[in-house]
Amino acid sequence: MKTELIPTYTIRDISEGFEYNALEGKGLYGLAGKLTIQPEYQRNYIYADGKRDVAVIMSLLKGYPLGLFYFNKPTKDTLEVLDGQQRITSFGRFITDKFAIKDENGMEQYFSGLAKDKQEIVLNSTILVYECEGTETEIKEWFKTINTAGIPLNDQELLNAVYSGPFTTKGRAEFSNSQNANVAKWGAYVNGAVIRQDYWERALEWVSKGKGNIAGYMSMHRYDDNIREVKEYFNNVIDWASSLFKDVEKEMSGLEWGRLYETYHSKKYDLNELNADVQALYGDGYVKNRRGIWEYLLGGKSDMNLLDVRVFDEPTKKATYVRQTKEATRTGTSNCSLCREGHQSSKTKIWRIDEMDADHVTPWSKKGSTSPENCQMLCKTHNRAKGNR
Ligand SMILES: [Zn+2]
């Protein structure tokens, strides 16, 4: 790969013909159309937060350097930004009055309202650009190793870079576009940030049956001109979840809906019962892990570990142990109520407290509470055999 340092670009040069696409939230072109600011493998513009974008402008006004920029030279007459897209989009947006900075008196100032000498300072600032020429593979390999203005690319952003092409472009237009009207609905099931590729990543993870399969899937479909399969699968998962569960609770966002769909979508459920169960568990103070409620119900209420139900505390266990042991000594029977009813030698065995576990007399699943009145101590063998807390 060949690189050449070009020291003479001014902000005026780069910003000439600057276009910003508000709908997709990205800078498009500069250098009078010669420079593509956001090639398809680049991340979306994320500096528009009134802090990082403003910091770029304040640096220019103070004469601080903006750091190095890297442009790729795909053809003799075109350039694309490899590194520096966030900074370029920031000053491009400022010069076209898309956001304001605060002046020394704390007043908001747009570029067109700045004093002429300040405007000139901004426009005449120069930036240091490395122009690189290399094969697509070289450029992308190299791109993987650099940080974009201090924010490392996340996994999916890297995959987008490595597998750029029509498939990734279409996927991002659908799943990385915060203007997509479906995002609000999807957000009930998917968490993370649309523009950091979290939704696109989920869609790929679900259709490829696991995060570890995304790279392979993207490679196989790289030159597809559509994302039909991804979209269809994603919608199937969302539609399935929303058809089963009437109430949308915040804990549902970010669950592994793809895996749940794969495991349970052919199972039939009584919707009234299912939704009543969700409500009951959601309001149950003994359920410590609410995020486990949906999978617990989908799985037929068999895996109590998902709910992390509150257990008896030590003082309750100790008091119950003392009470049962006293009674057992008096009557010459075992202090485990199930051993006592048996016919083995343990019929009269007095267990130590560390050989016993607390158990719900009325099981928690049958509305038995985790209170002292509903506590009994069983020997470990019997408690395990009973299985239901
Ligand atoms: Zn026992």
Side-chain angles (χ1 to χ4, degrees), residues 336 338-339 351 379 382:
C336 164
L338 292 181
C339 283
W351 301 94
C379 72
H382 273 126

Side-chain angles (χ1 to χ4, degrees), residues 103-117:
D103 66 13
E104 55 273 21
N105 303 314
M107 304 301 289
E108 294 231 312
Q109 294 290 358
Y110 283 90
F111 180 76
S112 57
L114 280 184
K116 275 277 170 288
D117 60 321

Side-chain angles (χ1 to χ4, degrees), residues 127-374:
I127 60 171
L128 277 181
V129 175
Y130 273 106
E131 291 187 358
C132 319
E133 275 184 85
T135 65
E136 194 186 357
T137 310
E138 280 176 329
I139 297 288
K140 281 170 186 164
E141 270 307 308
W142 179 77
F143 186 80
K144 272 168 74 173
T145 67
I146 59 169
N147 280 7
T148 306
I151 308 167
L153 298 176
N154 64 30
D155 292 350
Q156 190 56 46
E157 286 167 339
L158 275 178
L159 289 173
N160 288 347
V162 173
Y163 301 109
S164 68
F167 176 78
T168 295
T169 304
K170 290 228 157 63
R172 291 184 43 167
E174 176 73 14
F175 291 103
S176 310
N177 174 6
S178 51
Q179 304 295 316
N180 186 330
N182 288 320
V183 165
K185 179 186 173 188
W186 296 343
Y189 308 95
V190 179
N191 62 8
V194 175
I195 63 167
R196 292 304 303 269
Q197 315 301 322
D198 290 324
Y199 286 54
W200 175 222
E201 184 180 51
R202 277 306 75 62
L204 288 165
E205 177 189 325
W206 292 355
V207 74
S208 66
K209 318 285 193 294
K211 196 172 165 178
N213 303 327
I214 294 178
Y217 189 89
M218 289 183 82
S219 167
M220 203 181 340
H221 294 274
R222 182 169 179 188
Y223 297 107
D224 289 3
D225 65 351
N226 70 81
I227 54 161
R228 214 174 297 129
E229 187 183 56
V230 184
K231 250 177 107 165
E232 205 174 282
Y233 194 89
F234 185 83
N235 287 327
N236 282 346
V237 174
I238 301 276
D239 291 347
W240 171 76
S242 62
S243 70
L244 285 181
F245 299 109
K246 199 161 50 66
D247 298 320
V248 173
E249 307 292 356
K250 62 177 189 298
E251 289 84 354
M252 294 165 77
S253 179
L255 296 181
E256 295 174 64
W257 288 108
R259 179 177 60 78
L260 295 176
Y261 173 81
E262 267 306 301
T263 316
Y264 299 114
H265 78 272
S266 51
K267 228 177 132 178
K268 294 276 170 281
Y269 296 94
D270 177 331
L271 292 189
N272 289 329
E273 190 189 319
L274 190 65
N275 283 284
D277 283 344
V278 172
Q279 282 195 350
L281 290 174
Y282 200 78
D284 189 325
Y286 294 107
V287 172
K288 283 203 286 184
N289 180 35
R290 282 180 162 175
R291 290 177 62 79
I293 290 175
W294 292 272
E295 184 167 2
Y296 171 72
L297 293 176
L298 289 169
K301 305 185 192 177
S302 54
D303 188 358
M304 295 270 300
N305 293 328
L306 289 166
L307 300 177
D308 191 11
V309 171
R310 193 138 55 89
V311 295
F312 292 105
D313 57 21
E314 287 308 315
T316 303
K317 286 188 199 168
K318 217 167 261 170
T320 308
Y321 177 80
V322 169
R323 178 169 50 74
Q324 284 180 202
T325 306
K326 239 186 225 166
E327 171 71 8
T329 317
R330 193 177 62 78
T331 56
T333 54
S334 173
N335 58 349
C336 164
S337 25
L338 292 181
C339 283
R340 182 166 50 194
E341 290 160 17
H343 300 286
Q344 274 79 32
S345 57
S346 56
K347 200 171 159 56
T348 56
K349 185 166 173 66
I350 300 293
W351 301 94
R352 294 194 314 270
I353 189 163
D354 62 347
E355 294 170 324
M356 303 184 87
D357 278 323
D359 173 61
H360 287 80
V361 179
T362 307
W364 171 84
S365 57
K366 300 205 166 60
K367 308 234 181 314
S369 69
T370 309
S371 57
E373 308 79 65
N374 195 37

